[in-house]
Structure formats: C-alpha cells, structure tokens
Amino acid sequence: MINKLIAGIRKTNAPIVVGLDPMLKYVPEHIKQKAYADLGETLEGAGEAIWQYNKGIVDAICDLVPAVKPQIAMYEQFGIPGLAAFKRTVDYCREKGLVVIGDVKRGDIGSTSEAYAAGHLGSVQVGNSMCCGFGEDFATVNPYLGSDGVKPFLQVCRQEGKGIFVLVKTSNPSSGELQDRLVKTCAQGAEVFRPIYELVGEQVAAWGEECMPEEGEYSYVGAVVGATYPEQGRILRRIMPRAFILVPGYGAQGGRGADLVHFFNEDGLGAVINSSRGIIAAYQQEKYARFGGEGYADAARAAVLEMREDIASALERR
Amino acid sequence: MINKLIAGIRKTNAPIVVGLDPMLKYVPEHIKQKAYADLGETLEGAGEAIWQYNKGIVDAICDLVPAVKPQIAMYEQFGIPGLAAFKRTVDYCREKGLVVIGDVKRGDIGSTSEAYAAGHLGSVQVGNSMCCGFGEDFATVNPYLGSDGVKPFLQVCRQEGKGIFVLVKTSNPSSGELQDRLVKTCAQGAEVFRPIYELVGEQVAAWGEECMPEEGEYSYVGAVVGATYPEQGRILRRIMPRAFILVPGYGAQGGRGADLVHFFNEDGLGAVINSSRGIIAAYQQEKYARFGGEGYADAARAAVLEMREDIASALERR
C-alpha cells in the first residue's frame, strides 16, 4: 500500500492527502436540509448529511490526489449512523482508487491492539468466514503504550501489505508538553538529553526495518509530524529516512508550503501533506466565496489545485 | 458520576469493574451457534453473539459490582455490527444501574477530542436537536497529545457530571518504553530526573482540581495505573490524592489482591480494580470448569465473588 501511495503521488504530482473531517458546520445548508427532511434532525440525518457532503468532495478531487484521510472522531460523535457514514466513505474512496488513511489514533495493550489492527486494516474470523470491519489502507497509531501496542499492527501490515503512521510529533500547540520532554539517554558512554519525539522517531525507524515491502524504498511504518513544527520535521526526516511522514497542520492550522520542504527526502518523496478544513470547507473562505455552498465541491477542487502549486513551488525553490 | 461510582462501591463492598471484552473465543458455543444460525458467520452474527454473551454476564453480576468497562476495540473489530453491540451493551448496563466506563483510549488535537468527548460522554447538536452518540459515563483518554487533547473532555465532564481516566502507567509489559523514561525537571533550582508517568500523574491531579464535583472528595479526572506495577501505584497514589485510579491487569495479566493495596487511599476508596478475562471467561479456567459453557454467567458470578473476597482480605491485612 505504501507503493500504491507513492505511485499515486507520482501520477498526480501531488503529495497531498485530503482530510475528510466533516464537521456539520462545514456541510452546506442545502445538503443538511435534504438529509434532515429525509431522516430528521437525528444521528441518522447527520450521518446522511456528512456522507453526501463527502461524496461530493471525493467526486471533485479524486483525480487530483492520491489519498484521503477521514478523521474517525468526526463520524464517531454521531454514534452508529456516523460510523456507518465513515465506512461508506472508506468504501467509496477505495472504489475511486484513492488510498484511505484511517485517522483513528488507536493504540492499546497487545491483545486489544490486535483487535484494532484486525478491524481497521485486516479481517476477523467469524466461524469459518473472514470478515472485514472497516478496511482502511493505513491507520494512525498512538505510541504511548510502547511496542506491545504497535506490534500487532506491524503483523497485519506485513500480512496485508498495509501501513501505519505512528504519532511522533503532533501538530497541536500543546504537543510539546509530553513529546518535547528531554529524556536522559546514553551515547558512547556519555549522558545525552533528547526529546521524546526523537526517541519515538527512532522506534518508528526500527519498526520500519521489520516491515519493508518486497520492493521499494519506504517501509510500511510511517510517522505523523505536524507541519507546525518544521525544525523537528527536519531532524525526524534524518532519523527515519525510510519512513513516510504524514504531515497534518497545513493551511488552517498555520503550516505553509515553505515549512514543508524539510519533511521531504532528496528523492522528492517521503512526505504527504494533509489539509482538511482548508479544502473541504474552502467555500467558507473569502478567497473561494464565489463558489457558494452549492459549489462547495468545486471550491474544494480549486483549493487542492492551489495547495499543489504551493507545495510544488516550495519544493522547486529549496 | 464519580459520586455514583463511589456510592456503588460502598453499597456492593466491591471496588470492582468487570471488563466486558468479548473476544469470540470466550463466547460459549451454544451462543455462537444460535447467533450464526440466525445471522450467518458474518459481522452481524458476531455482533449478536457478543451482545447475547454480554447480556448473560451483566444479568449475573449486576447486583455485585458498581461498574463495567467495555473495551471498544473488541466490538470495533466487527465493524458497524460490532459497535452496535457496544452501544446496546452500554445502554443495557446503564438501565441496570451500572456505571459504564468506555475503554476507548481516545485522544487527539483539540477540535477532534471535542468530537470524541461529545460522542462518548456528551451529546452533539444536529439542527435544533441534541443527540447522544454512545453515552458512556466515563471514558479512558490517552495523554500523548498534551492538554489540548484532554481539556475538551474536562469541559464535557463538568457539563455532564461525567468523568475520564487518563492513561498514566499502563499494565502491559512494554509500558515502560515510553512511560518510565526519565525526564529532566527542575526542583528548587536543582536538576531532578523523574519518570514520565509521574509527570502525567501530576497533570492528572492538576486537571482534577479544575474538575471537582460540587460535593465529594474525588475529582472527575481519574488515572489508569496497571495492577502489574504496584510500586508505581504507590507513588502515583500520593501524587494524585483526589484521583480515582482505574487498575487493569488483575488476574489474567498477573496482578493479585496483595499488589492492589497501594492503589487505595486510607479511606478505603480511590481505586477500582478491573478484571476482564478472569471473570467473563471464568468457565474456561479449571477452577470454574464445573459450570461449563452453559453456565458461563454463573461462573462469572462466582469469579466476582472470589475477587471481592481477595481484595477485601488484602485491604484488611494492610
């Protein structure tokens, strides 16, 4: 799947992931009105609204980008009907040829992570049948529980040719509270202090060595590093040379094209940049207001084209 | 809700949480056969089997314990039908008067944690209606993203009188890889090295100060500390005096009654001990084999009674 992602990036010339994080305040009125008229102001109505909204965006952008990243929380808040919309979105995107990164940030003790890995990337046995729960191509994973919580994902990745992105340095303002803490380590007999994100980055690199596809340069184990922390991105790029970096925080969270160059390797690969709100709610920005709510999908397309240009020109200038 | 938990512990004399983690290999054959006959060897069949299994256990133990803790991964692996069984289990347990701790280990950047908090502990607005996604009483939360990821939960806890348990020192063998790392801190002008779990424990205590019920001694913000690490439990008990500690790892993972005393305060409160497999799959142990698969719920009841005795006598001996 990492090779499919790379092929998609090469084909589209867009190392871009569109974050499908459908908050109701982004969904245009005409879509909400229809869904609520059909199903009421209920969880079912909300699920229908976000599915229809997603479908419009996916249809508008699926030839421009290699991948999408639905954030499961935005669906899970609407209970079962919301998660049914998540599943429908995953299936539809895969039909359209997109790589689907489930932004689930799961992670637990061994047997429990096994269940998450099976449900999101693999399959579960029911009697004599193998059944698929959600079936994304990649999942994001939280490293707080250590290797126990990550290794069950690695096993499924090897079996299914799928992948994970481990949280290393997240894009949010408070990510440093824990992730930047300096830890006592030993190097050549001397005490050295290093931030936690570097140590997690080294683990990502080590897990990746156990988890390489038969052909290709990048492992099934990637990392999440926020666009809002370009300096840390530069360091982590070196620590994890064969890991793809999933970079959230572009656009609405403050990251810009020029900040992103450090996340890429010399081969022009090694990073995919996520934008959510900046694309899916582009029509709510002044710049794209001319599209209006009815034209929200076209606005999303225009925003992807602009983002592609921003990243390409930043990479050319470096 | 913390006061409801405390009242339940006092009433039952059992600081016990039953972990409803229904792996299919625990579900007795007669239940699986009926579910598969009705719905096939499908996700729906699996969802029905785990729901029926849970219902039997809940009916058998609901007068003995104050709380249950369904581990959502065990449901999520079966996709939408599995999560529907989760929701049904949550609703049924609440009807029975049990406190429900959703073991979801969520945690993300601010706006995303808001969605998780609303979906699991609060409600979401759809048009002019307020709708409830899953509706547990407590949720477990991962602290890797820092305060941003936790504060949205605090807000919902204050509004709804609900609670969270933040992962501090987890029960699994590799929990120390990250959680035990020694971090450079400053105390009275001198450098001091402290493990990460202590720093997270201090944050739990601070978040708890912002989040106290109107009456009572314990805050809405608890902590997860594994029974397998009693020494760390003793230290964390002091660091977070007003936090309830949710203690997994009893029984099947190796923790014993004598290890647990450090997790309790002098008032005999402050901890709830979780056992999952040791109770819900008790009939598969030699000790309870006489119950057989048909008697799995009675075996679970017997195992709860024995666990209650083990904890009570350990607390008396201390």
Side-chain angles (χ1 to χ4, degrees):
Chain A
M1 206 42 75
I2 187 69
N3 288 336
K4 183 178 172 190
L5 178 63
I6 292 168
I9 291 170
R10 287 201 165 115
K11 187 176 150 202
T12 58
N13 198 25
I16 292 177
V17 183
V18 173
L20 297 174
D21 306 354
M23 297 177 84
L24 279 181
K25 66 185 178 189
Y26 304 157
V27 179
E29 282 306 316
H30 70 284
I31 292 177
K32 283 192 281 206
Q33 279 172 16
K34 180 159 188 338
Y36 298 166
D38 291 349
L39 295 163
E41 292 181 344
T42 59
L43 297 176
E44 287 75 13
E48 174 65 11
I50 60 180
W51 153 245
Q52 291 296 342
Y53 171 66
N54 279 350
K55 184 171 178 302
I57 290 168
V58 171
D59 288 342
I61 56 97
C62 63
D63 61 321
L64 293 182
V65 298
V68 291
K69 180 175 78 61
Q71 165 53 261
I72 200 169
M74 297 304 165
Y75 305 81
E76 199 166 312
Q77 66 181 324
F78 300 115
I80 304 298
L83 287 161
F86 176 83
K87 171 68 174 149
R88 213 166 160 182
T89 300
V90 170
D91 290 347
Y92 189 71
C93 292
R94 296 197 68 199
E95 273 169 46
K96 290 276 177 181
L98 291 162
V99 171
V100 178
I101 302 168
D103 197 354
V104 298
K105 296 191 177 65
R106 302 304 194 239
D108 209 299
I109 66 167
S111 55
T112 308
S113 268
E114 251 175 59
Y116 280 131
H120 287 282
L121 301 179
S123 54
V124 285
Q125 185 159 2
V126 181
N128 294 309
S129 309
M130 296 307 291
C131 303
C132 170
F134 287 102
E136 300 101 305
D137 300 311
F138 285 86
T140 53
V141 174
N142 187 308
Y144 190 69
L145 286 90
S147 300
D148 291 352
V150 176
K151 289 200 167 162
F153 284 95
L154 302 186
Q155 195 173 345
V156 173
C157 288
R158 279 191 296 263
Q159 277 164 9
E160 309 275 342
K162 295 205 170 177
I164 57 173
F165 291 98
V166 178
L167 305 189
V168 175
K169 173 66 186 166
T170 56
S171 61
N172 55 313
S174 76
S175 70
E177 283 177 19
L178 191 63
Q179 299 160 27
D180 292 1
R181 288 282 192 168
L182 292 177
V183 156
K184 185 154 60 169
T185 61
C186 225
Q188 296 159 342
E191 273 185 5
V192 181
F193 295 96
R194 300 181 62 201
I196 285 174
Y197 61 79
E198 285 191 22
L199 304 177
V200 178
E202 283 178 359
Q203 280 192 299
V204 165
W207 290 323
E209 290 301 319
E210 297 174 32
C211 222
M212 290 292 295
E214 280 187 27
E215 292 186 25
E217 290 300 308
Y218 289 95
S219 81
Y220 292 131
V221 184
V224 175
V225 185
T228 41
Y229 298 105
E231 268 310 300
Q232 289 87 335
R234 198 171 51 80
I235 293 161
L236 287 162
R237 179 66 290 164
R238 277 207 312 271
I239 290 176
M240 320 173 293
R242 300 171 92 177
F244 243 76
I245 304 181
L246 171 62
V247 187
Y250 177 86
Q253 283 184 57
R256 294 172 182 287
D259 299 328
L260 300 174
V261 294
H262 307 305
F263 295 88
F264 290 86
N265 276 322
E266 290 302 313
D267 60 4
L269 289 169
V272 273
I273 317 300
N274 180 79
S275 176
S276 301
R277 203 180 344 162
I279 290 172
I280 67 173
Y283 78 101
Q284 294 181 340
Q285 297 171 40
E286 213 180 304
K287 191 167 26 169
Y288 300 107
R290 66 185 185 280
F291 288 97
E294 296 277 345
Y296 78 100
D298 294 328
R301 186 174 175 91
V304 169
L305 290 169
E306 193 199 348
M307 179 176 173
R308 184 173 73 178
E309 184 55 34
D310 181 36
I311 295 172
S313 67
L315 284 174
E316 271 168 28
R317 279 195 308 272
R318 79 160 168 180
Chain B
M1 205 43 73
I2 187 70
N3 289 336
K4 183 178 172 189
L5 179 63
I6 291 169
I9 291 171
R10 288 202 165 116
K11 186 176 151 201
T12 57
N13 199 25
I16 293 177
V17 183
V18 173
L20 297 175
D21 307 353
M23 297 177 83
L24 279 181
K25 66 185 177 189
Y26 303 157
V27 179
E29 281 307 317
H30 70 283
I31 293 178
K32 283 192 282 206
Q33 278 172 17
K34 175 151 191 346
Y36 298 166
D38 291 349
L39 294 164
E41 292 180 344
T42 58
L43 297 176
E44 287 75 12
E48 174 65 12
I50 61 179
W51 153 245
Q52 291 296 344
Y53 171 64
N54 280 350
K55 184 172 177 302
I57 290 168
V58 172
D59 288 341
I61 56 96
C62 63
D63 61 323
L64 294 181
V65 297
V68 291
K69 180 176 77 62
Q71 165 52 262
I72 200 169
M74 297 304 165
Y75 305 81
E76 199 166 313
Q77 66 180 326
F78 300 115
I80 304 297
L83 287 161
F86 176 82
K87 170 68 175 148
R88 214 167 160 181
T89 299
V90 170
D91 289 346
Y92 189 72
C93 292
R94 295 197 69 199
E95 274 169 45
K96 291 277 177 183
L98 292 162
V99 171
V100 179
I101 302 168
D103 197 354
V104 299
K105 296 190 178 65
R106 302 306 193 239
D108 208 299
I109 66 167
S111 55
T112 308
S113 269
E114 252 175 59
Y116 279 132
H120 287 282
L121 301 178
S123 54
V124 284
Q125 186 159 2
V126 181
N128 294 308
S129 310
M130 296 306 292
C131 304
C132 170
F134 286 102
E136 301 101 305
D137 299 311
F138 285 85
T140 53
V141 173
N142 186 307
Y144 190 69
L145 286 91
S147 301
D148 291 352
V150 176
K151 289 202 165 161
F153 284 94
L154 303 186
Q155 196 174 343
V156 173
C157 288
R158 278 190 298 261
Q159 276 165 10
E160 309 275 341
K162 296 205 169 176
I164 58 172
F165 291 99
V166 177
L167 305 187
V168 174
K169 173 67 185 165
T170 57
S171 61
N172 55 312
S174 75
S175 71
E177 283 177 17
L178 190 63
Q179 299 160 26
D180 292 1
R181 288 284 193 165
L182 292 177
V183 156
K184 184 152 64 168
T185 62
C186 225
Q188 296 159 340
E191 273 185 4
V192 181
F193 295 95
R194 300 181 61 201
I196 286 174
Y197 61 79
E198 285 191 23
L199 304 177
V200 178
E202 283 178 0
Q203 281 193 299
V204 165
W207 291 323
E209 290 300 319
E210 297 174 32
C211 221
M212 290 293 295
E214 280 186 28
E215 292 187 23
E217 291 299 307
Y218 288 95
S219 82
Y220 293 131
V221 184
V224 175
V225 185
T228 40
Y229 298 104
E231 269 310 302
Q232 289 87 335
R234 199 170 51 79
I235 293 161
L236 288 162
R237 179 66 290 166
R238 276 207 314 271
I239 291 177
M240 320 172 294
R242 300 172 91 178
F244 244 77
I245 303 181
L246 171 63
V247 187
Y250 177 87
Q253 284 184 57
R256 293 171 184 290
D259 299 329
L260 300 175
V261 295
H262 307 307
F263 295 88
F264 289 87
N265 276 324
E266 289 303 314
D267 60 2
L269 289 170
V272 273
I273 316 301
N274 179 80
S275 176
S276 302
R277 202 182 342 164
I279 290 173
I280 67 173
Y283 78 99
Q284 293 181 341
Q285 296 171 42
E286 212 180 304
K287 188 164 28 165
Y288 299 107
R290 66 183 185 281
F291 288 98
E294 296 276 345
Y296 79 101
D298 295 329
R301 187 174 175 89
V304 169
L305 290 169
E306 193 200 349
M307 180 175 172
R308 185 173 72 177
E309 184 54 34
D310 181 36
I311 294 172
S313 67
L315 283 175
E316 272 167 29
R317 279 196 307 273
R318 79 162 168 177

